Amino acid sequence: MQIIPFIRTVADRVGAVLTAPAGAMRRAIGGLLVLFLLADVSFPVPVSVPPSTMVTDRNGEVLTMFLSSDQRWRFPAALEDMSPELREAFIAKEDRWFRWHPGINPLAMVRALWTNLSTGRRMSGASTISMQVVRLLEPRPRTLWSKVVESFRALQLELHLSKDDILTLYMNLVPYGGNIEGVTAAALLYFERPPKQLSTAEMVTLLIVPNRPTSLRPGAAGSPLITERNRWLRILEGRGILEPALVADAVAEPLTLRRSATPRMAWHASVRLQRALPGRLVIRTTLDRSMQEKVETLVADHVRRLRIQGIGNAAAIIIDNATGEIRASVGSADATDVLHLGANDGVRAIRSPGSTLKPLLYALAMDAGLLTPKTRLDDVPININGYAPQNFDATYRGSVTMEDALAESLNIPAVTVLSRLGVPRFVDALARAGAASTSRQRSDVGLSMVLGGCGIRLDELTALYAAFARKGMWIAPTLLPRTSQPQERRLISEASAWAITEVLSRPPADLAIQVTDGARIPRIAWKTGTSYGRRDAWTIGYNRRFTVGVWVGHFDGRGVSELTGATCAAPLMMDIVHAIDRSAADAGWLQQPATIDQREVCSVSGRLPSDSCHDRTLDLFIPGVSSAERCTHRRPVLVANDGSVSFCATCAPQKGYRTEWFETISPALLAYYRDNAVALRTPPPHYNGCTKQEGGLVTITAPTEGAEYVLERNGEKLVRLTARVPDDATTVYWYVNGVFTTSAPAGQPAFFQPERGTHTVTCMDDRGREATVTLTIRYW
């Protein structure tokens, strides 16, 4: 059943009613009423239209707008969002009797009919606001029958909706030229503010456009629009809707407007939210428009400078440490940049984190009692089950403290600490920190993950660092306002969080960071990272209030020789911190917790000093957790008066010797010093006439000296290593051709995979005693 034939039937019945006798007329009116109600049930008015979506910041300021599904700018708003003057002005101009008629105005129809007939052309349409709403909801050709249908639909509207509801529909649908519909869309696109904030002149400008949306469209020829605006200002003044003083100011107000560009701030985040929340008219975020605008500008300017070096893109994020709310999120320098794949969201892309996970590793190691900031670590060539990492600059420092290893981002100490802590424990911590991408790689990651051998997102990494500012407590970052208190997770202890922060807040002496305007850099704890192949550059920085994360690189994974975290990402991070937190960055720096204290340690080993330790320093430690092991870096040795041999208590002669003190150096460090011709004072060889194993010699039992191994190309390629060591040895270290290969407990075998040719194999125990053999490998 179609609505037009039905309305024609009703119209015929109305004509019959008007010519019928009184009794018949009453029956006919009752029948018409039944027909109307039946039609109302059968043909409901479609009052819903697809809306546009608006993404706003936390204060309601517009960030991004999306077209409706029918490609219109249409933002439904409540009547309360319009000023009372604007509402009354629309009624006064469009339908003065709107509050009293039932949807159609018979007197207006008669007047319009007379005017049109007397002039011979269409001068007046007599459409009420209700009828105009119908026409906007269901556009039809302007014919007499269309007017009949609109009248019927207007009655339906009045039956189901209040006057305020109908007026709201009208103000949300009125045309403003092009694909702009509704007062809110027009106010935002032409005046860049919501209707309630419009001036009187701007309000009346929006009032007059709907009747002539083409010729009076804002941004078109200005003079006709101003003339019509001023005319209606006087009319509304005469009708008592506007005060004379307001009208005088409005008439004098210039009208220099044009359609502004559609807001496209926080584009990547807005697109993500629109897809996650389909049908939501207004998506209020936690973003701060002012911060977002500054960061977008800084990212775009920074990338523009980096393009000279062949570096294509960057992303940045700011997290409020107190709440976990994201204050700014920039996925790329330009989302419309096809050449550099700007549509990709760098905040959510899974990338290699480089060295940025080291602070978490050292904090976990502190909590496990494995080390403190002054603990000494070996920065020498190592090989752990075939994995031989190198430092970023391909050099070594020998013995370094943990804090120096972290401050200089040395790779080898980090891998050594991770091997002691355990990869599963490190992965568990990353899972607690919301690093879902890394957690999913649990079965595939190894020691290399602390150097970037895993995947993580910028928002995940930045939230991880925010936990350091939150005294070790992690909360999930969010783009949407929270409805309840965030759930916290203990990631690291408050003590280790503060200790690592102190290390990260020390400005590196050899790293010059340039801030755009040259102003003073506020205090901040920060860490850089560069992935393998120089594909990703990172810098994460935090203070008490905010944590800022920056990624720089190419979305297609290309490496660039000039790309490093220190030179490409750190300057942008510093610029952002300076721009957003200029006044309060230094206020209230993180306070030392009661759970961490200071103690005196040996400056050579980082352990509690013994009587033989002469150089001492202060170190942070966690009471009840940090190791209480005493320093043994100096040990007494009985040496012959001529310095030729050393003795143990068993083989020492009655006279002819003296006691000397020597440093205890780890085998790996000792080998490094020897390879680099570092002068060392070591004990002379042990007396070979000693009969006790306590001071005995190391003997390699496999392979034997001069042995030749013939291995199958497709078979087992591991060579067994065994040695006999003195009873006081606990660990043996194996070197192949002078490079550390593996270690094993004393008395246990080790294995290595050799290449073809002749090799030198050295075994050294943890007391510095060693033995060497050579062997030859052939394949068939």
Side-chain angles (χ1 to χ4, degrees):
M1 187 175 185
Q2 300 297 317
I3 183 67
I4 297 298
F6 185 87
I7 294 299
R8 288 178 175 173
T9 301
V10 173
D12 293 340
R13 295 291 179 89
V14 170
V17 167
L18 295 177
T19 59
M25 184 177 292
R26 284 194 296 271
R27 290 192 298 273
I29 289 174
L32 285 174
L33 181 60
V34 172
L35 284 173
F36 173 79
L37 295 176
L38 178 62
D40 178 61
V41 173
S42 303
F43 306 103
V45 183
V47 295
S48 63
V49 290
S52 300
T53 299
M54 181 189 306
V55 179
T56 73
D57 79 343
R58 60 185 184 137
N59 299 314
E61 295 190 52
V62 179
L63 297 172
T64 298
M65 300 192 299
F66 295 96
L67 287 165
S68 64
S69 58
D70 58 353
Q71 301 302 298
R72 301 281 179 176
W73 293 116
R74 182 191 297 125
F75 296 102
L79 206 58
E80 294 75 23
D81 296 328
M82 318 285 181
S83 67
E85 294 81 6
L86 183 60
R87 300 197 298 261
E88 294 306 316
F90 264 109
I91 292 174
K93 181 177 180 299
E94 298 296 332
D95 189 358
R96 296 175 62 185
W97 306 104
F98 171 70
R99 297 292 184 187
W100 292 276
H101 64 64
I104 58 175
N105 188 339
L107 294 178
M109 287 183 173
V110 172
R111 185 184 66 249
L113 179 62
W114 171 255
T115 301
N116 294 340
L117 290 176
S118 61
T119 59
R121 56 195 178 95
R122 188 178 182 276
M123 297 291 293
S124 177
S127 292
T128 63
I129 286 179
S130 302
M131 295 171 69
Q132 291 184 61
V133 169
V134 170
R135 188 161 58 245
L136 293 169
L137 289 170
E138 299 178 318
R140 291 186 178 85
R142 291 187 174 240
T143 65
L144 179 59
W145 283 112
S146 293
K147 185 69 69 174
V148 173
V149 173
E150 289 169 7
S151 299
F152 171 73
R153 288 297 208 189
L155 293 173
Q156 284 184 283
L157 280 178
E158 297 279 349
L159 179 65
H160 293 284
L161 302 178
S162 68
K163 288 291 186 180
D164 283 349
D165 291 338
I166 295 172
L167 182 61
T168 301
L169 271 175
Y170 175 73
M171 297 183 75
N172 284 331
L173 294 173
V174 287
Y176 282 94
N179 62 345
I180 302 175
E181 292 185 2
V183 174
T184 301
L188 292 172
L189 291 172
Y190 289 122
F191 298 107
E192 298 185 7
R193 52 183 175 274
K196 224 169 187 178
Q197 298 178 15
L198 298 178
S199 69
T200 302
E202 293 166 342
M203 178 188 72
V204 175
T205 300
L206 293 187
L207 175 69
I208 62 176
V209 171
N211 293 109
R212 293 159 59 187
T214 301
S215 61
L216 294 181
R217 183 180 74 252
S223 181
L225 185 58
I226 293 177
T227 302
E228 188 69 6
R229 179 201 71 180
N230 292 345
R231 185 175 76 86
W232 271 98
L233 281 167
R234 299 299 184 191
I235 292 173
L236 294 173
E237 177 188 6
R239 294 183 182 179
I241 295 176
L242 297 178
E243 295 291 334
L246 290 176
V247 172
D249 291 339
V251 169
E253 185 176 316
L255 184 65
T256 56
L257 79 160
R258 64 180 183 274
R259 177 170 172 175
S260 60
T262 306
R264 284 177 61 91
M265 295 181 66
W267 178 254
H268 298 88
S270 298
V271 169
R272 189 164 69 248
L273 289 174
Q274 187 211 23
R275 291 173 178 171
L277 303 169
R280 183 84 66 91
L281 304 182
V282 178
I283 302 175
R284 184 181 288 265
T285 70
T286 62
L287 299 173
D288 182 285
R289 182 186 171 94
S290 175
M291 286 190 186
Q292 181 72 29
E293 190 170 16
K294 289 176 183 177
V295 176
E296 288 189 7
T297 300
L298 288 171
V299 169
D301 290 346
H302 188 70
V303 169
R304 195 176 299 114
R305 293 190 294 269
L306 291 178
R307 294 270 166 87
I308 300 174
Q309 304 176 49
I311 298 169
N313 237 310
I317 186 175
I318 300 173
I319 294 179
D320 187 316
N321 295 333
T323 63
E325 294 179 341
I326 298 173
R327 294 287 179 247
S329 178
V330 181
S332 70
D334 181 1
T336 64
D337 184 355
V338 177
L339 179 62
H340 297 94
L341 306 178
N344 287 280
D345 187 355
V347 171
R348 304 275 291 183
I350 299 175
R351 312 290 300 196
S352 166
S355 297
T356 56
L357 297 180
K358 290 175 182 174
L360 175 63
L361 169 68
Y362 287 121
L364 293 170
M366 281 192 68
D367 289 339
L370 298 179
L371 46 73
T372 59
K374 298 295 185 183
T375 298
R376 286 279 169 172
L377 301 171
D378 290 345
D379 180 34
V380 297
I382 61 172
N383 186 309
I384 303 177
N385 297 325
Y387 178 51
Q390 288 186 328
N391 288 325
F392 185 77
D393 58 5
T395 64
Y396 307 94
R397 276 73 168 172
S399 176
V400 296
T401 62
M402 179 273 274
E403 60 185 3
D404 287 341
L406 175 56
E408 298 182 42
S409 196
L410 301 178
N411 291 341
I412 292 171
V415 172
T416 302
V417 171
L418 180 57
S419 68
R420 294 172 60 193
L421 180 72
V423 171
R425 190 169 182 174
F426 193 48
V427 174
D428 288 342
L430 287 168
R432 292 198 305 275
S437 49
T438 303
S439 181
R440 287 193 295 268
Q441 301 168 350
R442 179 182 296 271
S443 60
D444 301 322
V445 295
L447 295 176
S448 65
M449 68 182 302
V450 75
L451 307 184
C454 59
I456 199 167
R457 301 188 325 223
L458 178 58
D459 56 349
E460 294 173 341
L461 189 59
T462 308
L464 186 156
Y465 273 75
F468 283 86
R470 290 182 52 83
K471 303 178 181 180
M473 300 300 292
W474 177 89
I475 55 176
T478 180
L479 272 171
L480 297 173
R482 301 186 193 274
T483 57
S484 59
Q485 286 294 319
Q487 291 187 341
E488 295 182 317
R489 260 183 236 158
R490 173 61 67 185
L491 178 62
I492 53 178
S493 71
E494 183 180 1
S496 64
W498 184 83
I500 297 301
T501 296
E502 287 298 290
V503 176
L504 297 180
S505 62
R506 293 181 348 197
D510 60 344
L511 185 61
I513 300 299
Q514 300 297 323
V515 178
T516 300
D517 59 6
R520 180 179 61 87
I521 300 174
R523 186 179 184 188
I524 189 168
W526 55 290
K527 179 72 180 72
T528 63
T530 306
S531 68
Y532 177 77
R534 303 201 179 199
R535 296 178 174 89
D536 308 277
W538 306 81
T539 299
I540 316 294
Y542 61 92
N543 57 24
R544 184 176 56 86
R545 296 181 60 192
F546 299 112
T547 300
V548 178
V550 169
W551 168 87
V552 176
H554 281 285
F555 285 123
D556 60 8
R558 277 180 289 153
V560 181
S561 59
E562 292 82 4
L563 185 69
T564 69
T567 60
C568 296
L572 176 57
M573 186 278 294
M574 288 294 184
D575 284 346
I576 292 173
V577 171
H578 184 75
I580 67 171
D581 211 13
R582 184 186 298 266
S583 61
D586 293 337
W589 185 250
L590 304 170
Q591 299 298 308
Q592 178 175 338
T595 52
I596 195 168
D597 206 345
Q598 284 188 319
R599 66 183 181 184
E600 192 178 58
V601 297
C602 173
S603 60
V604 178
S605 67
R607 300 189 184 96
L608 291 178
S610 61
D611 295 338
S612 62
C613 296
H614 303 303
D615 298 324
R616 305 185 182 194
T617 187
L618 290 178
D619 187 20
L620 297 170
F621 78 108
I622 305 175
V625 174
S626 298
S627 172
E629 182 181 357
R630 288 284 172 180
C631 176
T632 58
H633 91 279
R634 298 183 79 239
R635 58 189 175 94
V637 178
L638 303 179
V639 180
N641 287 335
D642 61 2
S644 59
V645 295
S646 61
F647 306 102
C648 63
T650 301
C651 65
Q654 292 184 353
K655 59 181 181 178
Y657 67 90
R658 64 182 180 272
T659 301
E660 295 187 14
W661 290 84
F662 294 88
E663 288 192 14
T664 302
I665 302 176
S666 69
L669 188 60
L670 181 61
Y672 168 76
Y673 285 155
R674 288 176 175 174
D675 291 343
N676 289 271
V678 177
L680 294 173
R681 185 170 175 270
T682 58
H686 196 79
Y687 174 56
N688 59 13
C690 182
T691 59
K692 300 289 289 185
Q693 272 196 342
E694 178 189 357
L697 302 177
V698 173
T699 303
I700 297 176
T701 55
T704 58
E705 171 62 33
E708 181 176 355
Y709 287 76
V710 181
L711 305 177
E712 295 184 19
R713 292 184 183 276
N714 300 320
E716 180 65 51
K717 298 180 181 179
L718 295 179
V719 173
R720 180 184 175 92
L721 305 173
T722 60
R724 183 171 62 251
V725 296
D727 290 342
D728 60 342
T730 59
T731 307
V732 292
Y733 302 87
W734 293 92
Y735 298 81
V736 177
N737 299 324
V739 178
F740 175 76
T741 301
T742 187
S743 63
Q748 297 296 317
F751 299 87
F752 86 104
Q753 184 172 332
E755 301 290 337
R756 179 196 303 271
T758 301
H759 302 279
T760 299
V761 177
T762 299
C763 176
M764 182 183 296
D765 70 6
D766 49 11
R767 307 280 293 189
R769 298 164 297 216
E770 63 181 60
T772 301
V773 298
T774 58
L775 76 157
T776 302
I777 302 295
R778 291 196 299 109
Y779 284 97
W780 65 279

